[in-house]
Amino acid sequence: MTSTQGDLMSSAESTTVTRPKRRRRTGRPVGLMMPALILTALMFVIPIVSTVVRVVGDGGSGLTRLFSTPDFAQVMFNTVKWTVGATIGAMVIGYAGGIVLRAKQIRLSGLWRSLIMVPWIIPGVVGATIWRWSLSTDYGLVNRYLMDLGIVSQPVHWLSDPSMVLWSVMVIQIWVTAPFVVLMVSAALAGIPEERYEAARLDGASSLKILWYITLPGIRTTTAVAALNLAIWALNSFTIIWVTTSGGPAGASTILPILLYQAFQNGDDSLVYAVSILQLAIGTVCAVLFARTMRTDLREQS
Amino acid sequence: MSRRSATRIATGFGMWFLLAALLVWSLGPVAVVLFTSFKGSSEIYSANAHLLPDSWTLQNYVTVFTSSNTLRALLNSLIVGLLAAIATLIFCFSAGYALARFRFRSSRPLALFLLLGQVVPLTVVLLPLYQIIRSLNLLDSVVGVAMAHLVITVPLVTWMMRNQIAAVPIELEEAAQIDGGNRLDAVTYITLPVIFPGLVAAGMFAFLQSWHEFLFASVLTSSTAARTGPVALTEFATEFNVDWGATMAASVVLTVPVIILFVLLQRHFIGGLTGGAVKG
């Protein structure tokens, strides 16, 4: 699976950089590209351009309004907290899972991997609904079991307590995205040559040292790609929060995409464009990082 | 017993323990929804709930299929998914072929452009896309929703197609052309059949993405005529008296096709996921 990724990237590069001499015909296959290009233009370029045009066109009044909203600081703080927390949480669980699946003692790892993938493959709305029910204050099994175990003494208001809600929805996002990291890490681990481990063992390295000096550096690129993907997903995430809390209570779980959607529902187009351009700016930073990570990856492979 | 083998046994034990914890974390909530869907309402709203139903009942499933619009929503989801998958394959096969077989000046920027289409937040295109679909008079129609879903599927599937076509040696096509066929014949009789399994996988993949999608589907539909499964599911749960039993049953019904497709095309699916990554 790393190989899939490797293939994708290295072959992507071979189209353009290594330039095989014989196999490829030069030509102008613009006709073939047209359908996809028109579509992409219609769906990405026009929206982005119209967003920029609208924001510039109204003299930035939408942006001014956005920045002067009293809740704006809270939304940004929520967005950062949510993105960082969800990314770190999914990375930790994903790494643990990836290492476990590759452990020599574990048999049937293919089966376990498929089962661990379940939260990732079920529809987002279903995942959110499942958790909304499990976290319900009065009937939810999470509270029930925590009380049986004596961890909490009375039902926790997971989704209705403003100081708790962002952490609760973060758990859901981690639950959904961690399998992706498990998959990537376990695939990347398979790509580390066995000889490296043997050499380290012959030198008498401890398991902890092997983990620190061989395993983790060996999957560094995967770590970067996975972390970036997680951050992008968290930044753009809508369904989980919307289905469980709609951004509430009192905006305690509102992040940028939720704010945008609320403005959309209110028909406040200039605010929608203002949030859009902010999201685009953040997205551009991610895209640049993404492209650079890919490049590093290609260099390491060659 | 040497210290070394003791350590090894302890590590093995620890690994199995970690795996068990991971499985409970991943599957516990799924078990909750599955078992709750078979509980009667008195049991669902009992203060002393536990995981397994005391008495199993199909009542929730009966409710879902007879006294709700879920069946219609599932049918809409199916149509939207098929439309999106077919359109995706047509667009992406031609684009993937161009990227795999031709070298032209703009191929690198074009390829990168398609790849970066993944990073653009979906909410950012929401309003312009809504306006485009509205101006085409396709609001609240399955065609409009399917069109919107192409935003998600096309960038990714183009890459899948490109890689599959690149893996077919061009000599095969050249041989067919030497035998007197033109390029279209070569593609039709050689390349297409060779990558057919990959084509099916890509189509199913696009279908799944469409089946999952919630944001566009909820914005672009307003009546049961075009409402898809995920949107219908949230309608269950936004009413004042949430019928949690029926909601759980509908969740299961919405997930079953996904599980079936996943089992069928696990290999391709995982390759596609890690290959280009997917929008969340």
Side-chain angles (χ1 to χ4, degrees):
Chain A
M1 279 143 304
T2 327
S3 73
T4 320
Q5 195 181 10
D7 289 348
L8 183 113
M9 292 174 192
S10 56
S11 54
E13 196 68 356
S14 71
T15 337
T16 49
V17 168
T18 52
R19 312 221 170 206
K21 287 179 189 67
R22 203 170 53 82
R23 297 268 182 276
R24 228 161 266 283
R25 299 149 183 238
T26 42
R28 292 169 171 251
V30 178
L32 285 168
M33 292 292 293
M34 262 317 162
L37 280 180
I38 292 174
L39 197 73
T40 323
L42 200 70
M43 308 265 180
F44 289 115
V45 180
I46 292 176
I48 290 169
V49 170
S50 69
T51 303
V52 175
V53 167
R54 279 294 295 261
V55 170
V56 174
D58 73 358
S61 73
L63 277 174
T64 318
R65 219 146 46 80
L66 172 66
F67 293 140
S68 58
T69 320
D71 301 336
F72 180 71
Q74 195 200 0
V75 171
M76 288 310 284
F77 186 55
N78 284 347
T79 307
V80 171
K81 205 157 94 175
W82 154 268
T83 305
V84 173
T87 303
I88 292 175
M91 291 298 277
V92 169
I93 292 178
Y95 264 74
I99 289 171
V100 166
L101 285 184
R102 287 247 78 90
K104 277 190 207 61
Q105 298 88 348
I106 301 291
R107 290 174 212 290
L108 299 173
S109 61
L111 172 70
W112 308 128
R113 193 187 60 198
S114 302
L115 291 174
I116 289 171
M117 289 301 292
V118 167
W120 170 259
I121 61 164
I122 63 176
V125 171
V126 173
T129 307
I130 289 176
W131 278 95
R132 205 178 144 208
W133 167 243
S134 301
L135 292 175
S136 124
T137 306
D138 296 327
Y139 308 113
L141 281 173
V142 172
N143 273 338
R144 166 106 221 116
Y145 287 135
L146 287 181
M147 279 160 73
D148 284 352
L149 292 169
I151 297 171
V152 297
S153 54
Q154 52 190 346
V156 181
H157 295 261
W158 300 106
L159 297 173
S160 50
D161 177 351
S163 65
M164 181 68 82
V165 63
L166 197 62
W167 303 107
S168 305
V169 285
M170 208 182 277
V171 167
I172 310 176
Q173 173 82 357
I174 293 170
W175 183 74
V176 170
T177 53
F180 168 79
V181 187
V182 173
L183 199 67
M184 289 205 49
V185 169
S186 79
L189 288 176
I192 300 176
E194 187 57 31
E195 295 84 51
R196 275 194 224 168
Y197 288 113
E198 275 163 26
R201 257 179 240 122
L202 281 177
D203 290 345
S206 66
S207 315
L208 210 62
K209 282 211 158 124
I210 290 178
L211 180 73
W212 190 253
Y213 289 106
I214 298 191
T215 311
L216 290 183
I219 56 176
R220 209 178 52 226
T221 318
T222 305
T223 306
V225 172
L228 246 163
N229 266 312
L230 289 170
I232 292 170
W233 289 331
L235 274 171
N236 301 344
S237 171
F238 168 78
T239 306
I240 288 173
I241 296 182
W242 187 255
V243 171
T244 46
T245 67
S246 306
S253 61
T254 299
I255 62 168
L256 281 175
I258 301 284
L259 188 68
L260 187 149
Y261 189 79
Q262 285 164 349
F264 177 88
Q265 280 192 321
N266 296 334
D268 188 346
D269 286 5
S270 81
L271 196 61
V272 170
Y273 284 116
V275 180
S276 289
I277 206 127
L278 186 59
Q279 279 201 267
L280 271 178
I282 299 171
T284 307
V285 175
C286 290
V288 170
L289 284 173
F290 198 66
R292 285 178 61 171
T293 316
M294 295 269 204
R295 241 194 349 249
T296 323
D297 190 36
L298 293 163
R299 214 174 293 133
E300 276 171 11
Q301 277 172 2
S302 53
Chain B
M1 199 195 299
S2 74
R3 217 182 127 210
R4 209 194 174 98
S5 60
T7 322
R8 195 178 307 147
I9 290 170
T11 318
F13 194 74
M15 286 296 171
W16 279 103
F17 178 78
L18 263 176
L19 178 66
L22 207 63
L23 286 171
V24 169
W25 153 258
S26 304
L27 298 177
V30 182
V32 170
V33 76
L34 189 64
F35 291 129
T36 307
S37 73
F38 291 109
K39 284 181 186 173
S41 62
S42 61
E43 236 183 288
I44 289 175
Y45 300 106
S46 129
N48 190 16
H50 38 257
L51 186 60
L52 285 171
D54 288 331
S55 58
W56 297 67
T57 167
L58 286 174
Q59 187 51 48
N60 297 320
Y61 289 89
V62 174
T63 309
V64 164
F65 283 114
T66 56
S67 55
S68 81
N69 293 313
T70 308
L71 210 55
R72 179 64 205 260
L74 290 175
L75 186 68
N76 287 338
S77 271
L78 185 71
I79 297 169
V80 169
L82 287 177
L83 284 175
I86 292 166
T88 302
L89 285 184
I90 294 170
F91 287 126
C92 296
F93 181 78
S94 62
Y97 190 86
L99 286 173
R101 288 287 194 244
F102 293 92
R103 177 162 58 88
F104 49 102
R105 194 177 297 156
S106 45
S107 60
R108 185 188 167 86
L110 285 182
L112 211 62
F113 178 66
L114 279 169
L115 196 65
L116 290 182
Q118 301 254 32
V119 189
V120 177
L122 287 184
T123 41
V124 167
V125 300
L126 184 68
L127 178 55
L129 195 64
Y130 177 83
Q131 287 163 343
I132 291 172
I133 305 270
R134 188 177 57 191
S135 66
L136 293 171
N137 255 330
L138 289 173
L139 279 185
D140 204 23
S141 75
V142 283
V143 178
V145 180
M147 265 188 70
H149 286 172
L150 295 182
V151 173
I152 302 165
T153 55
V154 163
L156 187 68
V157 176
T158 302
W159 277 92
M160 290 171 83
M161 288 282 96
R162 193 214 152 271
N163 293 330
Q164 285 168 5
I165 294 164
V168 180
I170 197 164
E171 282 85 357
L172 285 179
E173 279 181 30
E174 283 166 351
Q177 282 172 287
I178 289 166
D179 289 344
N182 61 22
R183 182 142 199 170
L184 188 64
D185 291 332
V187 173
T188 315
Y189 297 112
I190 307 288
T191 313
L192 267 179
V194 171
I195 67 157
F196 187 73
L199 219 56
V200 173
M204 286 163 124
F205 186 74
F207 179 87
L208 273 181
Q209 292 295 318
S210 164
W211 187 268
H212 282 208
E213 205 282 329
F214 170 67
L215 175 65
F216 292 158
S218 72
V219 164
L220 296 172
T221 61
S222 50
S223 72
T224 48
R227 193 175 287 150
T228 60
V231 185
L233 185 62
T234 60
E235 305 280 306
F236 259 119
T238 47
E239 284 158 32
F240 254 99
N241 289 317
V242 182
D243 185 349
W244 276 110
T247 305
M248 295 295 113
S251 296
V252 173
V253 172
L254 201 58
T255 307
V256 167
V258 178
I259 301 283
I260 293 172
L261 279 187
F262 180 71
V263 170
L264 285 179
L265 57 98
Q266 198 186 6
R267 216 162 44 88
H268 298 279
F269 197 69
I270 288 172
L273 288 179
T274 47
V278 184
K279 277 202 164 106

